[in-house]
Amino acid sequence: MDFSIIIESLPILIKATMVTVLLAVVSVCFALLLGFFTALARISNIKVLKMIGSVYISIFRGTPLLVQIFVIYYGLPQIDIELSPITSGVLALSLNAGSYLSESFRAAILAVDKGQMEAAVSMGMTYWQAMRRVILPQSIRIAIPTLSNTYIILIKDTSLVSVITVTELLQMSTLIIAKTFEPLTIYLLAAALYWIVITFFTALLDRLEKRTSKHVA
């Protein structure tokens, strides 16, 4: 293992790691919104919304993320929709993660006692007021462990966007290997950086979960 290559490559890989983190953060923000509104559509009494939500979840949970990335980046230009590699990557990651988060949100909302909605409505609240003030705050606390797991998985899934030339950690590692011919050293270094990032966010999310549990108690 050539330590001079590690010293030379580490700053470049750290910069690429920042791209990985940024991709994950932006994607999870869109995924949370998409998952939340899909969950509301799934529990609504409007059949069209329920059907749209069910089809979306079925497609994006039933097909590999890598295929979704290829369809968005290479397939959409055939119908005159051209997106940059980063935009394509964020879109694919958001749509995929959103399909899983929607089920987490839906399960969390349904886990709240129905009597609380009935009590809120009997006090004069509308359905959406009761949902916003009573049901959603509790359901979000319930969903936090699952949301945390999905985010950790999303960080690892960002490596897949390297196939469409997004210069995140894995793609940059591949480029460095092409110059240094040291795959073991560089891939181990990349793995270490992934581990550090995931360990940091796992600790952060665990702390958030514990603080939320204390407030509930």
Side-chain angles (χ1 to χ4, degrees):
M1 186 175 291
D2 192 336
F3 287 98
S4 64
I5 292 176
I6 295 176
I7 294 170
E8 183 181 346
S9 303
L10 188 57
I12 301 172
L13 290 178
I14 289 174
K15 288 182 180 179
T17 302
M18 295 301 102
V19 176
T20 292
V21 172
L22 182 62
L23 274 172
V25 170
V26 173
S27 297
V28 82
C29 288
F30 285 119
L32 285 169
L33 289 173
L34 187 57
F36 174 70
F37 286 111
T38 302
L40 291 182
R42 291 263 286 155
I43 64 173
S44 71
N45 295 322
I46 304 173
K47 291 184 178 180
V48 175
L49 291 179
K50 293 181 74 170
M51 182 185 68
I52 292 172
S54 298
V55 170
Y56 158 65
I57 291 170
S58 177
I59 290 173
F60 283 92
R61 293 186 68 171
T63 56
L65 175 56
L66 186 58
V67 174
Q68 295 164 19
I69 293 170
F70 282 148
V71 168
I72 291 171
Y73 185 65
Y74 293 111
L76 291 184
Q78 291 190 349
I79 56 173
D80 297 324
I81 301 175
E82 295 190 17
L83 303 174
S84 68
I86 289 181
T87 303
S88 298
V90 169
L91 181 59
L93 291 169
S94 300
L95 288 169
N96 184 269
S99 65
Y100 289 92
L101 290 176
S102 65
E103 289 298 275
S104 299
F105 277 126
R106 186 173 75 92
I109 291 171
L110 295 177
V112 178
D113 195 313
K114 292 182 179 179
Q116 296 195 38
M117 172 63 79
E118 295 171 357
V121 171
S122 68
M123 293 174 64
M125 293 186 189
T126 65
Y127 174 84
W128 292 111
Q129 286 177 332
M131 183 67 72
R132 179 169 58 87
R133 297 178 183 178
V134 179
I135 306 300
L136 291 182
Q138 297 179 73
S139 62
I140 289 173
R141 295 189 187 104
I142 296 171
I144 281 178
T146 308
L147 301 182
S148 300
N149 290 334
T150 302
Y151 181 61
I152 297 304
I153 293 171
L154 181 61
I155 294 174
K156 292 184 284 188
D157 283 345
T158 57
S159 62
L160 293 176
V161 302
S162 64
V163 299
I164 55 173
T165 69
V166 176
T167 51
E168 45 69 67
L169 180 53
L170 183 59
Q171 173 70 4
M172 186 58 70
S173 300
T174 304
L175 294 175
I176 293 174
I177 289 167
K179 294 180 180 180
T180 62
F181 302 103
E182 290 283 348
L184 180 60
T185 301
I186 300 303
Y187 281 138
L188 284 176
L189 189 56
L193 289 171
Y194 275 117
W195 177 76
I196 290 169
V197 169
I198 289 171
T199 301
F200 170 77
F201 279 105
T202 299
L204 192 66
L205 293 168
D206 285 345
R207 185 174 180 181
L208 175 63
E209 183 181 345
K210 288 176 181 177
R211 289 188 63 182
T212 304
S213 299
K214 287 181 180 179
H215 284 304
V216 173

